[in-house]
Amino acid sequence: MKILLSVDGSGVHAIMGAQFLKNLELELKKNNSSIYEKFDFYAGTSSGALLVGALVYGEKNGCQLVDELLTYDNIKKTFKKSWIDKISNTDKNCLITGYNIDQHEIRFFKSYYHKLIDKKTGKNFPKEIVSTVDAIDVSSAAPGIFPQVKYIDKNPEKDTDKKTKYGLDGAFFATNPTDCAYADMLKFNNDDNDIRILSLGLGKSDIDWKIGSKTSKFGIIQWASFGNLIERMNYLKVPIVNYRMDSFTNVLGHQYLRIGDISVKSIPLDSSKESDYYKLIELGNELWKENKEKVLKLLFN
């Protein structure tokens, strides 16, 4: 059995996801287990990458996630020098998404690149040189909220030399990274039919979606100001992945559970309000209560 935990990107809504994972951690402790022990494969985009990174590299359990602010500086303070060196420095398989601006390049930061075979040479790819902190920083650099990230990169699949690159939010192409990680799981586990996936969404803003009658004369300014264009483009990627995952796992006989596509009551992705923080904590508890039995069935049955 191999189990994947995939966490979406959605700004400060990650607080809801962290609270959900805290509840999961407490439940697993009753079975003498933990999130780190139970899951074999991890994937995260943007703020989801912060949560996944803290679990895999930061030696944090689900209970501790809630007490961590989801910013680069706090993550850097939390993480230890012993593993900052490279993203490959873990026994877990972990995928973090990013986007390189100048190259218009989708970037997967994978702890397991060196386990994959280069079809051109027949040899394993080299290990990633990118640090975990840089990978998470790139993945969570949402335009308009955080600046682009300048870092040294050498893509094992494409580059021969180290290059200075400028990275942005992995949500450009994978708000929900579940199918990206699942594709690699299949490469590792083609002889193991017991693959299970828990895909954790971080909700969607309760905005005014019904504006069709008003958009006939919208230009870019109107779309940006009143059309919630970014929210629409980001969220549309989520059900598409869910559609694929439902189809693929059904055909291959794998177990797939998607949760978290709920309203977050108009809480902006960059909110710093204390009241919104506690609303998200409450939503995380509600998400756990509503899905507890299904999650435990996926993990233990």
Side-chain angles (χ1 to χ4, degrees):
M1 179 195 304
K2 298 295 181 183
I3 310 178
L4 161 67
L5 172 64
S6 177
V7 185
D8 284 15
S10 199
V12 74
H13 298 173
I15 295 167
M16 179 183 75
Q19 184 65 20
F20 173 89
L21 292 171
K22 176 179 180 178
N23 284 296
L24 174 58
E25 189 77 62
L26 291 171
E27 190 66 31
L28 290 174
K29 282 185 178 181
K30 297 177 184 177
N31 294 276
N32 297 314
S33 186
S34 67
I35 291 177
Y36 187 83
E37 293 171 350
K38 197 65 183 174
F39 291 90
D40 309 282
F41 213 112
Y42 295 80
T45 289
S46 196
S47 54
L50 297 177
L51 295 180
V52 167
L55 290 169
V56 175
Y57 298 97
E59 301 179 357
K60 297 297 178 184
N61 60 47
C63 296
Q64 293 169 304
L65 291 179
V66 179
D67 299 323
E68 301 296 329
L69 294 175
L70 301 178
T71 65
Y72 167 68
D73 287 338
N74 286 333
I75 288 295
K76 187 167 66 172
K77 292 174 184 176
T78 300
F79 289 172
K80 297 181 178 179
K81 286 286 185 180
S82 59
W83 61 262
I84 274 182
D85 185 26
K86 294 179 181 178
I87 194 172
S88 57
N89 190 22
T90 176
D91 293 331
K92 297 292 183 179
N93 295 319
C94 184
L95 177 149
I96 292 173
T97 64
Y99 170 66
N100 289 331
I101 305 170
D102 290 343
Q103 292 76 21
H104 186 47
E105 175 188 65
I106 289 173
R107 183 67 166 95
F108 293 116
F109 301 103
K110 301 180 182 181
S111 66
Y112 50 88
Y113 251 137
H114 58 288
K115 301 177 185 178
L116 300 174
I117 302 296
D118 184 343
K119 293 181 179 179
K120 295 180 180 179
T121 65
K123 299 179 180 179
N124 291 81
F125 286 112
K127 287 187 176 182
E128 284 273 19
I129 69 163
V130 177
S131 73
T132 307
V133 171
D134 279 345
I136 294 173
D137 200 17
V138 168
S139 187
S140 58
I145 301 176
F146 298 111
Q148 44 82 354
V149 177
K150 181 180 179 180
Y151 73 108
I152 302 298
D153 190 17
K154 181 180 179 182
N155 189 329
E157 288 187 311
K158 298 181 179 181
D159 299 335
T160 55
D161 301 311
K162 295 180 182 179
K163 299 178 180 179
T164 298
K165 295 188 179 179
Y166 299 88
L168 279 178
D169 198 339
F172 265 101
F173 69 96
T175 303
N176 176 358
T178 307
D179 57 345
C180 302
Y182 182 53
D184 280 345
M185 282 192 82
L186 295 177
K187 297 175 185 177
F188 287 122
N189 302 287
N190 53 15
D191 58 344
D192 183 354
N193 197 46
D194 194 0
I195 292 178
R196 307 181 185 194
I197 302 104
L198 174 59
S199 179
L200 179 57
L202 300 180
K204 60 178 179 178
S205 298
D206 189 17
I207 62 176
D208 181 11
W209 297 97
K210 298 180 180 180
I211 59 169
S213 61
K214 306 174 185 177
T215 61
S216 61
K217 296 183 179 180
F218 268 22
I220 188 62
I221 295 177
Q222 288 78 15
W223 271 111
S225 302
F226 312 111
N228 302 111
L229 188 60
I230 293 177
E231 286 89 346
R232 290 174 185 276
M233 292 178 67
N234 275 338
Y235 185 70
L236 280 175
K237 302 169 189 174
V238 172
I240 291 172
V241 173
N242 198 44
Y243 175 81
R244 293 175 187 145
M245 290 299 301
D246 274 333
S247 300
F248 296 157
T249 53
N250 182 56
V251 170
L252 296 174
H254 299 153
Q255 296 186 51
Y256 169 65
L257 176 61
R258 171 70 181 179
I259 61 175
D261 295 325
I262 61 175
S263 169
V264 289
K265 302 179 181 179
S266 301
I267 299 174
L269 299 181
D270 59 346
S271 174
S272 59
K273 292 182 179 179
E274 185 177 8
S275 58
D276 285 345
Y277 175 87
Y278 287 107
K279 285 179 184 177
L280 289 165
I281 291 290
E282 182 181 345
L283 285 169
N285 287 329
E286 292 176 7
L287 187 65
W288 170 252
K289 291 176 183 178
E290 292 173 3
N291 295 281
K292 174 182 175 180
E293 297 304 320
K294 290 187 288 186
V295 171
L296 295 181
K297 181 179 179 180
L298 176 77
L299 298 182
F300 290 103
N301 291 354

